[in-house]
Amino acid sequence: MKTKIVLLPLDERPCNYEFPMKLFSHDKVEIVRPKKLGNKKTPASFETIVEFLREECKDASGLVVSMDMLLYGGLIPSRLHHEEKETLLERIKILKEIRESNKNLIIYAFQVIMRCPDYSSDDEEPDYYRIYGKEINELGVAVHKSRLGIESDVPVKTAMEKVDPKCLDDYISRREINRYMNVETLQMARDGLIDALVIPQDDSSKYGYAAIDQKEIREKISEYNMEDKVLMYPGADEVELTLLARMLNVLAGRQPKVYVKYTSEMAKNIIPLYEGCTLANTVKYHILSAGCLATESYESADIVLFMTAPAGGMEEAMEQPSEKLEYCVERNIAEMFELLKYCINQKKIVTIADNAYANGGDLGIVKILNNNHLLMKVDGYAGWNTSANTLGTAIAEGVDSYLNKVTEEHQRFLAERYVEDAGYCSVVRKSVTEKLPESMNYFDVREPDGMVASMVKEELQKFMEESLSSISDSVTIKKVSMPWSRMFEVNLEVEYVND
């Protein structure tokens, strides 16, 4: 009999809606998700979500629930809504009802602290963020530093004068409501209605509105004596994978030990792009959140996690290869691969968090894997978006291999990671964007399927033949589409046949 786990995703993007199914659904595990969610700024129907949860949780072993989807209809709607507290407090009660209907159900929840980007764009934010986004972020930094007694480059009064008061009031009031609901969720965890809670820091930084909220939530966690039950760390789109890994570990009565191998010891102290914590601290949280235990000995480890992060100054993948010493001199790639090959020969589970760059894999690392015919001999690889997204995915791949050995689904997901993370994110996204007709742009390619999707598929095929040549005959790209009709992400369906 399969283990049934209900998933309420963060949103409908492939990383949240498809990745968990592709990695964890197989002979032993059934992941159940809603058939329909929202569409970017259009929230999912709360009534449909409630109906889904009531029906599917009755006989499930576990529930992984995005509180942003439950309360607001998705991640982007959580930044745009005008819901009253009373409405949201009624919505959150569904968790108590579900708990009472299935007292053996394990409930893991996660709830994002609203981000505050340092650029002006309304692609994922309120309309006015296109005009005042950078200024709102600047004001948040000034307010935070003022509270800490730190001199800011721009005084609070000056920064405030740059933003329309009505727009600022809308933004601040929504942050207050979201923070209020963060505390409500904390209280549900304190009352035992939620077994474990993760509060991801989405695109976080050291100072600003998001950092202020994080501090207040962290103080509440301490006040409630919940430091061992609630984890707060950088991440967002990988959390479902992390909590599913944790749930499967718990249900199996296992706690795999993870050894972390850096290509540079100095990488431990970097703060990756779009994050506000050191890499060493973040990876410890991710390991713990996945139901694993960090170990200082690779000999005793069940999973060996390799990280390609630089010794400092992380760059964007589209800028590679970097000629900076932090990449070229301070990273010992040769040692990494020597240990990686040794671990494979020793039948260790090996997974690679390719976080050398933000928003794409390290093409040099992929080249070495390809030349040595190691692409499909490792148990996991990820190199997409933020370092935290990459970490969570790579650890989840390791856990799946640890619990279920190598399944067809696992190998398909692994092959897809190379095509998407290295191929699309590091190469094809930029090249296709540069070829878009004048009627389109990075944020608007008109439709999910069509000319752009065809261009992407064609260039991904070329990438596979050139850069994934050791497996290209075994990998077929079945489908390509552009979620949210933009260039940032791609939806791939890949087939892998192991000859």
Side-chain angles (χ1 to χ4, degrees):
M1 185 176 177
K2 288 188 176 183
T3 299
K4 178 181 177 181
I5 299 176
V6 177
L7 171 66
L8 185 62
L10 180 60
D11 59 34
E12 66 279 3
R13 286 174 299 155
C15 56
N16 293 309
Y17 193 72
E18 300 288 353
F19 284 15
M21 303 290 291
K22 290 180 175 180
L23 181 59
F24 289 117
S25 281
H26 45 68
D27 291 343
K28 298 179 182 179
V29 179
E30 179 187 14
I31 308 293
V32 182
R33 66 189 177 183
K35 293 180 180 179
K36 181 176 176 57
L37 293 173
N39 182 28
K40 198 176 182 178
K41 291 187 174 184
T42 302
S45 164
F46 176 71
E47 290 73 21
T48 301
I49 288 173
V50 169
E51 182 180 352
F52 163 78
L53 291 175
R54 283 173 176 158
E55 179 62 29
E56 298 296 346
C57 289
K58 291 177 182 178
D59 59 347
S61 298
L63 166 64
V64 173
V65 53
S66 161
M67 299 302 293
D68 296 289
M69 176 58 71
L70 179 63
L71 295 172
Y72 313 113
L75 178 63
I76 307 305
S78 75
R79 305 169 186 164
L80 308 172
H81 73 89
H82 293 94
E83 303 290 355
E84 299 291 338
K85 287 181 181 178
E86 292 73 22
T87 301
L88 298 174
L89 290 172
E90 281 299 313
R91 289 179 177 180
I92 204 171
K93 290 180 181 178
I94 185 63
L95 289 183
K96 183 176 181 180
E97 178 187 328
I98 290 170
R99 168 68 79 190
E100 291 174 349
S101 67
N102 183 352
K103 296 188 183 301
N104 294 321
L105 186 72
I106 300 173
I107 301 178
Y108 293 163
F110 65 104
Q111 189 172 22
V112 178
I113 288 180
M114 197 170 101
R115 72 176 190 173
C116 185
D118 61 356
Y119 52 83
S120 295
S121 169
D122 62 354
D123 183 51
E124 297 185 9
E125 317 297 327
D127 293 345
Y128 55 76
Y129 216 87
R130 177 177 57 85
I131 303 171
Y132 300 113
K134 185 176 176 62
E135 288 75 15
I136 289 174
N137 176 274
E138 184 179 70
L139 175 58
V141 172
V143 169
H144 192 189
K145 286 187 174 181
S146 175
R147 292 182 183 181
L148 296 173
I150 301 173
E151 184 176 352
S152 177
D153 294 338
V154 180
V156 172
K157 186 176 183 299
T158 302
M160 189 172 295
E161 291 172 348
K162 297 180 181 180
V163 184
D164 180 272
K166 290 183 179 179
C167 297
L168 183 60
D169 181 65
D170 175 80
Y171 185 79
I172 296 299
S173 62
R174 185 175 299 107
R175 292 204 72 95
E176 290 176 351
I177 288 177
N178 287 14
R179 186 173 62 247
Y180 178 87
M181 293 311 298
N182 278 121
V183 175
E184 287 296 312
T185 303
L186 276 177
Q187 291 175 348
M188 295 195 83
R190 182 177 60 172
D191 294 339
L193 296 173
I194 295 173
D195 297 292
L197 175 62
V198 170
I199 302 178
Q201 298 165 268
D202 182 25
D203 289 356
S204 56
S205 57
K206 192 173 182 180
Y207 301 107
Y209 285 122
I212 291 171
D213 289 350
Q214 289 159 18
K215 179 178 181 295
E216 293 190 16
I217 298 301
R218 194 173 286 111
E219 289 173 351
K220 282 293 182 182
I221 293 171
S222 177
E223 178 186 334
Y224 295 164
N225 296 315
M226 297 175 65
E227 290 91 344
D228 60 335
K229 196 172 184 178
V230 179
L231 301 179
M232 183 187 295
Y233 55 81
D237 291 329
E238 83 297 332
V239 177
E240 292 166 28
L241 292 173
T242 301
L243 290 180
L244 284 167
R246 177 176 184 163
M247 187 166 290
L248 292 170
N249 274 328
V250 168
L251 290 171
R254 311 290 290 275
Q255 190 176 27
K257 296 187 289 295
V258 180
Y259 174 78
V260 182
K261 175 62 180 175
Y262 296 85
T263 54
S264 170
E265 289 298 304
M266 294 172 66
K268 294 179 179 180
N269 296 318
I270 72 167
I271 296 179
L273 284 177
Y274 313 110
E275 298 178 17
C277 301
T278 62
L279 180 57
N281 196 39
T282 298
V283 72
K284 289 178 181 177
Y285 274 115
H286 277 258
I287 290 170
L288 181 64
S289 189
C292 302
L293 186 66
T295 179
E296 296 297 321
S297 166
Y298 75 84
E299 292 92 349
S300 65
D302 300 298
I303 300 169
V304 181
L305 172 65
F306 289 85
M307 293 204 293
T308 65
M314 183 177 286
E315 298 182 10
E316 294 283 351
M318 57 184 270
E319 298 171 356
Q320 65 180 300
S322 175
E323 297 181 357
K324 292 184 177 179
L325 296 181
E326 291 91 334
Y327 280 88
C328 302
V329 177
E330 294 296 342
R331 290 195 305 165
N332 194 330
I333 305 298
E335 184 203 27
M336 166 190 158
F337 275 94
E338 194 65 27
L339 178 59
L340 184 144
K341 288 184 284 187
Y342 175 82
C343 289
I344 290 174
N345 290 333
Q346 294 294 311
K347 309 298 182 183
K348 292 281 188 184
I349 294 171
V350 170
T351 186
I352 302 172
D354 189 4
N355 55 354
Y357 299 95
N359 290 307
D362 185 333
L363 298 174
I365 295 294
V366 173
K367 180 179 180 180
I368 298 174
L369 288 168
N370 182 59
N371 290 344
N372 287 275
H373 295 268
L374 293 172
L375 290 169
M376 302 308 291
K377 290 186 178 179
V378 300
D379 297 272
Y381 171 89
W384 63 287
N385 209 357
T386 67
S387 174
N389 296 153
T390 287
L391 277 173
T393 308
I395 293 170
E397 289 173 290
V399 169
D400 182 60
S401 187
Y402 168 78
L403 293 175
N404 303 296
K405 306 304 179 185
V406 177
T407 64
E408 290 182 12
E409 293 83 1
H410 184 102
Q411 292 297 83
R412 190 183 305 126
F413 184 79
L414 175 59
E416 192 175 281
R417 299 274 50 75
Y418 293 119
V419 178
E420 181 172 344
D421 299 2
Y424 183 75
C425 294
S426 295
V427 179
V428 174
R429 176 165 53 196
K430 179 182 178 183
S431 64
V432 171
T433 299
E434 292 173 346
K435 299 172 185 175
L436 291 175
E438 291 185 3
S439 60
M440 300 181 186
N441 59 63
Y442 184 91
F443 297 105
D444 184 8
V445 297
R446 301 302 184 194
E447 55 187 358
D449 305 294
M451 181 189 73
V452 173
S454 297
M455 291 170 64
V456 169
K457 184 176 181 179
E458 182 179 345
E459 294 210 16
L460 283 176
Q461 189 62 47
K462 291 179 182 177
F463 174 84
M464 285 171 48
E465 293 167 0
E466 296 173 0
S467 301
L468 305 177
S469 57
S470 64
I471 64 170
S472 58
D473 290 341
S474 301
V475 179
T476 304
I477 301 174
K478 305 290 287 185
K479 179 182 176 182
V480 175
S481 64
M482 315 307 294
W484 291 358
S485 299
R486 66 181 189 179
M487 293 301 299
F488 185 70
E489 56 271 294
V490 67
N491 188 12
L492 291 178
E493 186 178 319
V494 165
E495 183 178 285
Y496 174 76
V497 178
N498 187 11
D499 297 329

